[in-house]
Amino acid sequence: MASSHSSSPVPQGSSRDVFFKKEVDPTKHIRPVQSLPDVCPKEPTVTDQHRWTIYHSKVNLPAALNDPRLAKRESDFFTKTWGLDFVDTEVIPSFYLPQISKEHFTVYQQEISQKEKTHERCKNICPPKDNFDRTLLHTHDKSRTDLEQVPKIFMKPDFALDDSLTFNSVLPWSHFNTAGGKGNRDAASSKLLQEKLSHYLDIVEVNIAHQISLRSEAFFHAMTSQHELQDYLKKTSQAVKMLRDKIAQIDKVMCEGSLHILRLALTRNNCVKVYNKLKLMATVHQTQPTVQVLLSTSEFVGALDLIATTQEVLQQELQGIHSFRHLGSQLCELEKLIDKMMIAEFSTYSHSDLNRPLDDDCQILEEERLVSLVFGLLKQRKLNFLEIYSEEMIITAKNIIKQCVINKVSQIEEIDTDVIVKLADQMRMLNFPQWFDLLKDIFSKFTIFLQRVKATLNIIHSVVLSVLDKNRRTRELEEISQQKNAAKDNSLDTEVAYLIHEGLFISDAFNESELTPIAIDTTSQRNASPNSEPCSSDSVSEPECTTDSSSSKEQTSSSATPGGVDMMGNEDMKLTDLELEKLANNIQELLYSASDICHDRAVKFLMSRAKDGFLEKLNSTEFITLSRLMETFILDTEHICGRKSMSLLGALQSQANKFVNRFHEERKTKLSLLLDNERWKQADVPAEFQDLVDSISDGKIALPEKKSGVTEERKPAEVLIVEGQQYAVVGTVLLLIRIILEYCQCVDNIPSVTTDMLTRLSDLLKYFNSRSCQLVLGAGALQVVGLKTITTKNLALSSRCLQLIVHYIPVIRAHFEARLQPKQYSMLRHFDHITKDYHDHIAEISAKLVAIMDSLFDKLLSKYEVKAPVPSACFRNICKQMAKMHEAIFDLLPEEQTQMLFLRINASYKLHLKKQLSHLNVINDGGPQNGLVTADVAFYTGNLQALKGLKDLDLNMSEIWEQKSGPRSEGSQIQSCSLILLQVGCQFGHHDLQ
């Protein structure tokens, strides 16, 4: 088996073609050309000690089960791998194999039965030749019988007399015991034992002699053929000697010269390798001084590249050199030192870049230095440099605010820095304009600071992306190269010579001789780089002088970076694409963090100023100015960093909420004071309020700007004209409209408080509605203001004021709707509820006016009697009160509302009159009583229609009569004539009443 799996390094062939090349099958894999062994052999590695050999192979199941190296066969060979059920599992009969029975052989037996009979007949006729001697068989049986007499213990393979048990069984001590007077008997038994053993010996010797006699013929035949064998060997030796002589002649004539040439070529190649190795050692020897020179000029990338190249050469081409045994560890320590130097240098650069004067126009400080540092840090996988930059940003942001406060405080003479030591206390001494200028200066410095941070991080980001792009392009080139090499290997059809001389392949010698000039050219090109000096044959001072090796033959050109530095990749230290992409994302997050830092510091600055309630005491104009400045800064930082920071926005929202609360409380308190002092009399409308209303009509909901210069003073108007309608209002409503516009303007100035302002304005409108209801309808003004009574004029004026507010609610709703998000539209339902409440309030006032007249009708008509004179005193009083009602409300309410109100009053009048007539049992029968009632009603109707604006009022007085039919009197015609006269008289009577 071993011979079948091993192969000789030299292929066997016939004697005729031993010196010719062997035909190689092109489909088989071409054996790679082996290189000459290195001058300095490599040190054995751990993997070589456990290399697989043929002794590890088990090619089949018998080989695994009969392994002679195992002390005993493993009983659990199958069960430990395939489970306990492997041995006990019964084999299920195959469904594809039929069950064989005796009937299957019936046909075969019938076919051979005749042949079997013929065979038996032939055996009887011609018995077989048996040359075996029956006597030998008899002798063999006899010898076996004799051997059976010998005890089995002598036949055991482990028979040894030094074993006490074996010795006692062969020679029992009982035969040698002479004590007790039994000596004669024991001597006889001992003699008998001796004879027995002698007999056993004779039997064995006889059998051995017999076996030798049986093989004597073969022994003598071997002795006879020994002479023939010696003659054959002599002839063979002569033939071998002749063959060797011929081979020696052929070797001297045809091979010795060629082999000498090859030997010289190998010697020359070895000399060139030794020379290159010595030159490489001289180059490596200059690594440390060169690294020191590079570090003195802060060329960290060049120093790291030199260290990486030297370590690669030490591991591959100079491995095992005793003089360089400590150089690797020294370079590692030097590399760690460079890491610390780079981190310290980056920290210094960050401090210098962020703390230079902010009025400097230069965005980036020493760009090439930054690029070199970033490349070095990336090469060493020191990715925590972003944390250093982040810490430096925090410190710089604190220093910016501190320096701005110091500069501002130093300009204010009123602040005594000797008395007020703390900087925060000095800052709180500033008034709003001074503090606002300080905040504006801080925001401008922060903007410049963020622009610088963004420029620096953009450079770092571009370096990371360039490294990522280079890695991808290098990987693509490697893939293309591998594909080309695979195609080249598939198409390669090279014949390899296997002639071996001194352990080296001849083809390798030729390949080395061809590659040597290429290596020398490559070395000369490396030595001739712009940054290197010429290399002499004895010593090399520049570390870039290297020789070719298996790892350094393939080189890829490095791409140019923004700073002009080339990034040389190391397979062990190279960053993966995922790490580079994550680093690029971290750089972007660091820019966001810079914005958050500035916002956080600004928030702390605001909070330190707001400790004494300074921000809450700002008026609307000051707070709006502050809010706009903060919103501008938030937008600027968002434009620079690409993301909106929420801390300053949250602080602004918090202060805005406090401002809204104070804003609302102030105006609610002001409205409450106005209502408590309102006497509910019609007020004159100043021209500025009319202009305010006119501006709203033009679609501009904002307070009009104060006109500079002297303007004509316009007289106030009696009513407020809104879109052609006249509104008689009280002074509180005029101020309420102005307050509403202040709410709307605040929403325009501070959009973030839109929802809060909507809620507060809804609360304000509800408060006005409920409070006015308490004062007028609830007669609260009698105690609060000291009114004697709540007149119909007060009620009508209150209704008209409410109608004015209702008129502007849709305008206010549209204003807020345009500034709300679609998901916040549900808050607009507050205006619908307010509108409903106001309409209900207006309806209650109208009902109150009707109720006043209703009680008057009930009081007067309950005493009505159908008798002369006509018109009666009752109806005269009713007409007089109706005229007073009309006089009180006509100038306050529109004509349509006046008509509707008097229609309701007339309905109440008819109801009471009908009730009284029914009580008096007066029916529409054309009788005298009917005539008197008709005359009074005609008097009432004429007076009512004679009032201004009620001429076309449809009174429908026929409803006062019960729906009963009765015979009309004969004087119906006289009654109709008297009605005409009464109507004419009523006209004069009306003028008398007025």
Side-chain angles (χ1 to χ4, degrees), residues 693 696-697 722-723 725 727 800-812 835 838-839 842:
V693 171
I696 298 175
S697 301
V722 180
E723 296 181 0
Q725 293 188 12
Y727 286 87
R800 195 57 175 160
C801 292
L802 294 173
Q803 293 174 22
L804 178 62
I805 302 301
V806 170
H807 174 79
Y808 283 114
I809 286 179
V811 181
I812 300 170
T835 303
Y838 272 68
H839 281 302
I842 295 170

Side-chain angles (χ1 to χ4, degrees), residues 210-417:
H210 178 69
Q211 293 296 329
I212 292 173
S213 64
L214 292 177
R215 292 168 177 76
S216 60
E217 184 178 358
F219 175 76
F220 289 113
H221 178 71
M223 294 297 294
T224 305
S225 62
Q226 180 68 23
H227 298 287
E228 297 179 359
L229 181 61
Q230 290 180 354
D231 294 339
Y232 181 74
L233 289 175
K234 185 176 181 180
K235 293 180 181 179
T236 303
S237 176
Q238 293 176 354
V240 170
K241 183 179 180 182
M242 186 182 300
L243 180 60
R244 285 182 176 178
D245 292 340
K246 291 182 180 180
I247 291 175
Q249 293 177 1
I250 293 173
D251 179 64
K252 184 177 181 180
V253 174
M254 301 182 64
C255 300
E256 185 175 356
S258 301
L259 292 176
H260 182 66
I261 294 173
L262 294 176
R263 196 177 297 111
L264 292 177
L266 293 175
T267 304
R268 180 180 180 276
N269 290 335
N270 289 335
C271 291
V272 171
K273 284 189 174 184
V274 171
Y275 169 74
N276 291 332
K277 192 74 69 174
L278 292 174
K279 188 167 62 174
L280 183 60
M281 290 173 63
T283 302
V284 172
H285 184 66
Q286 296 296 325
T287 297
Q288 289 179 314
T290 309
V291 169
Q292 297 294 337
V293 173
L294 292 174
L295 292 180
S296 63
T297 58
S298 299
E299 291 291 338
F300 299 107
V301 177
L304 290 172
D305 290 340
L306 178 57
I307 292 174
T309 304
T310 305
Q311 288 178 340
E312 182 181 359
V313 171
L314 287 175
Q315 293 175 0
Q316 296 181 0
E317 300 187 16
L318 297 181
Q319 187 177 16
I321 302 297
H322 185 72
S323 60
F324 289 152
R325 64 187 183 278
H326 300 304
L327 183 59
S329 60
Q330 293 173 0
L331 292 178
C332 291
E333 294 297 329
L334 191 58
E335 189 173 4
K336 294 179 181 178
L337 176 62
I338 294 175
D339 292 346
K340 297 179 180 178
M341 292 178 64
M342 284 193 301
I343 293 175
E345 185 72 13
F346 184 81
S347 178
T348 304
Y349 174 84
S350 301
H351 180 77
S352 302
D353 179 47
L354 296 176
N355 289 278
R356 56 196 170 100
L358 294 174
D359 52 359
D360 188 3
D361 295 335
C362 181
Q363 290 288 337
I364 303 174
L365 180 66
E366 299 180 11
E367 180 179 350
E368 294 183 358
R369 176 186 174 192
L370 174 62
V371 172
S372 177
L373 282 172
V374 174
F375 268 124
L377 293 170
L378 292 179
K379 184 177 180 64
Q380 295 303 107
R381 301 178 68 90
K382 300 297 180 182
L383 306 182
N384 59 343
F385 66 93
L386 295 179
E387 299 176 2
I388 299 174
Y389 198 79
S390 177
E391 295 174 357
E392 194 63 37
M393 285 192 307
I394 296 174
I395 297 173
T396 304
K398 293 180 180 179
N399 293 335
I400 287 175
I401 294 181
K402 183 177 181 180
Q403 190 62 39
C404 289
V405 173
I406 292 174
N407 295 337
K408 189 65 178 178
V409 170
S410 63
Q411 298 174 2
I412 308 300
E413 298 178 355
E414 292 80 4
I415 301 176
D416 190 356
T417 56

Side-chain angles (χ1 to χ4, degrees), residues 53 111 202 267 323 372 388 422 552 564 615 712 732 930 944 974 991:
T53 63
E111 291 178 355
D202 293 340
T267 304
S323 60
S372 177
I388 299 174
K422 291 185 178 180
S552 61
L615 298 179
E712 283 187 16
T732 301
N930 179 262
L944 190 59
I974 300 174
H991 292 292

Side-chain angles (χ1 to χ4, degrees), residues 971-983:
S972 59
Q973 294 182 355
I974 300 174
Q975 179 183 356
S976 61
C977 294
S978 64
L979 285 174
I980 297 174
L981 295 175
L982 284 173
Q983 288 178 0

Side-chain angles (χ1 to χ4, degrees), residues 115-183:
K115 295 180 181 180
E116 185 180 6
K117 293 179 181 179
T118 304
H119 176 68
E120 292 294 335
R121 188 169 57 251
C122 291
K123 283 175 62 177
N124 297 328
I125 297 174
C126 301
K129 295 181 179 180
D130 190 3
N131 297 327
F132 187 73
D133 193 358
R134 295 292 180 182
T135 59
L136 295 178
L137 181 60
H138 176 71
T139 305
H140 176 70
D141 294 339
K142 183 180 179 181
S143 61
R144 173 176 291 183
T145 304
D146 294 338
L147 286 174
E148 289 179 354
Q149 298 177 7
V150 181
K152 299 298 183 183
I153 190 172
F154 294 102
M155 302 300 178
K156 289 184 177 179
D158 56 347
F159 177 79
L161 290 176
D162 54 357
D163 186 10
S164 59
L165 297 177
T166 304
F167 185 82
N168 292 330
S169 61
V170 175
L171 299 174
W173 288 102
S174 60
H175 296 280
F176 302 99
N177 188 4
T178 57
K182 298 180 181 180

